[in-house]
Amino acid sequence: MRQINPQHIDALLKLINSSPYFRLLNIRVCELREGYSKIQVNLEQKHLNPFGSAHGGVYASAIDTAAYWAAYCGMDEDAGFTSIDLSVSNLAMVQTGLITAEGHAIKTGRSLCLCEAAAADENGRLLAHGTSKLMVLQGKQSVADAIRAMGAPALPEKFL
């Protein structure tokens, strides 16, 4: 089994957390390891729908992000992904605080991955759950593409 390079993960987290969409929504990927990711969203006024609670799109973005990055550590260095199917069940409303979503890879394959994620509030109350099917794209939408798009320096090797 390949061992993930911790220096790669540290550099990757800095890169992806500085992406425009993550900055816009205050999404922060906190942890990545084989088959697992943890993200957080610090709710602000901009996240609220007209009724004063977090918009369902915030939950969908949290679930999509956590599911997506849960697959990353188990795949080849040059593999890219795209979400082809995202299903989110919104289970409870929240107005303020920190949302934490944890993603788990259920199956990582050569062409498709199936992942799930759950989002909870600061008290552990389940807010949303979802599943995501990801299509593996060899040489497309990879971390190397993100580096080029963001004008960032190369990352350390993914595997030791």
Side-chain angles (χ1 to χ4, degrees), residues 8-17 32 69 72 143 155:
H8 175 85
I9 296 300
D10 290 344
L12 177 65
L13 290 175
K14 287 178 188 162
L15 174 71
I16 60 179
N17 286 330
L32 295 177
W69 288 105
Y72 177 77
V143 168
L155 303 183

Side-chain angles (χ1 to χ4, degrees), residues 122-136:
E122 294 169 307
N123 298 316
R125 180 174 59 128
L126 187 61
L127 302 172
H129 177 270
T131 57
S132 176
K133 290 181 200 115
L134 304 167
M135 181 174 18
V136 180

Side-chain angles (χ1 to χ4, degrees), residues 1-12:
M1 181 181 205
R2 301 176 294 189
Q3 184 179 356
I4 197 80
N5 181 353
Q7 292 177 354
H8 175 85
I9 296 300
D10 290 344
L12 177 65

Side-chain angles (χ1 to χ4, degrees), residues 65-82:
T65 300
Y68 180 95
W69 288 105
Y72 177 77
C73 290
M75 301 304 290
D76 291 340
E77 187 152 4
D78 64 344
F81 309 94
T82 190

